[in-house]
Amino acid sequence: MTQPRRRPGPKRALSESDVLDAALTLMDSGGPDAASIRRIAGELGVSPNAVYTYFPDKAAIEQALVERLLGELNRAAPAGGDWRADLEALAVDLRRRLTAHPGAVPLLLGGAMNGPQALHLGERLLDVLTRAGLPAERAARASYLVMVYVLGAIALEVADVPQAGALAPEADRIAARRAAMTRVPPEAYPRTAAAAEVMSTWVGTEQYLWGLRRVLDGLTPGPD
């Protein structure tokens, strides 16, 4: 007896957000190189042409991911108050979001941050630094300095873990660095060995804030 043919089910609806979710999942597990158009399509169970419907190339996907991550940061922004507290909160939140997706960190370092959300973040920085009493030119220079410190610190923190994927909890990463530092021969590197305990905490929040606060200390109004 001939079985009746089944009607095909509805095609899966796809959106820009689905493509970005898949790209971020691949980056989280394998780093930025893992999120090729073909692999993104495979993750979604569609053909590469379906991905091209939303993005012309991988670079456009990466730019959109940067915008998404920065948009989430901007939407979570606290109301204006003490400028230092606001800037520290912003820097800590950015670190938290980027270390949750270490594969996306190179995207912020390797491309122009000129989308609407990146510009909005820059405007927020200028606003905070203006509230600190800096004139316009100095605020502009200071905003660049702050971003260099913040993104550089995050990039080094992520690079400290050689394999791709999510970072281990901060306490575990510090413990691993501490164990590694015990293997430094003190007779060859006496100063490094003496500073081993502090150096083991370089990937921690305490060091991140220590450096940020030193940067901010140098930004108070005064002669250049």
Side-chain angles (χ1 to χ4, degrees):
M1 182 176 177
T2 304
Q3 296 291 329
R5 293 181 63 187
R6 290 186 177 181
R7 292 183 177 179
K11 290 185 178 180
R12 177 183 173 186
L14 193 64
S15 67
E16 275 192 19
S17 183
D18 292 329
V19 174
L20 295 180
D21 287 342
L24 195 56
T25 296
L26 289 166
M27 288 182 186
D28 284 346
S29 60
D33 292 339
S36 66
I37 296 289
R38 187 170 296 278
R39 288 181 177 176
I40 292 170
E43 181 78 13
L44 293 167
V46 300
S47 70
N49 282 341
V51 177
Y52 286 121
T53 300
Y54 296 94
F55 297 98
D57 50 32
K58 181 182 176 183
I61 293 174
E62 293 176 345
Q63 178 69 18
L65 273 176
V66 169
E67 282 287 284
R68 175 195 269 193
L69 291 168
L70 296 181
E72 292 170 352
L73 175 73
N74 287 329
R75 286 190 291 275
D82 176 76
W83 75 272
R84 287 185 68 120
D86 284 355
L87 211 158
E88 283 189 20
L90 175 65
V92 168
D93 195 17
L94 180 58
R95 174 176 176 263
R96 179 181 64 81
R97 293 174 187 278
L98 291 183
T99 54
H101 300 291
V105 171
L107 305 185
L108 280 82
L109 300 174
M113 291 178 57
N114 54 9
Q117 294 298 336
L119 291 172
H120 183 56
L121 176 59
E123 186 74 10
R124 288 178 57 202
L125 273 175
L126 291 172
D127 176 71
V128 171
L129 293 165
T130 299
R131 285 194 278 123
L134 274 63
E137 181 180 347
R138 187 161 182 167
R141 293 184 184 278
S143 67
Y144 179 75
L145 173 61
V146 169
M147 287 305 295
V148 166
Y149 171 76
V150 167
L151 292 179
I154 294 170
L156 288 174
E157 183 175 352
V158 169
D160 190 68
V161 182
Q163 72 275 15
L167 297 184
E170 183 177 297
D172 293 347
R173 289 185 286 121
I174 290 175
R177 282 182 60 86
R178 183 177 290 116
M181 294 300 294
T182 63
R183 297 192 288 273
V184 174
E187 63 280 5
Y189 309 101
R191 295 186 186 278
T192 300
E197 181 58 32
V198 173
M199 293 170 71
S200 68
T201 68
W202 278 357
V203 295
T205 304
E206 181 182 4
Q207 171 66 38
Y208 181 70
L209 286 174
W210 187 93
L212 178 63
R213 287 166 182 164
R214 300 294 82 74
V215 171
L216 299 187
D217 286 345
L219 297 182
T220 52
D224 287 323

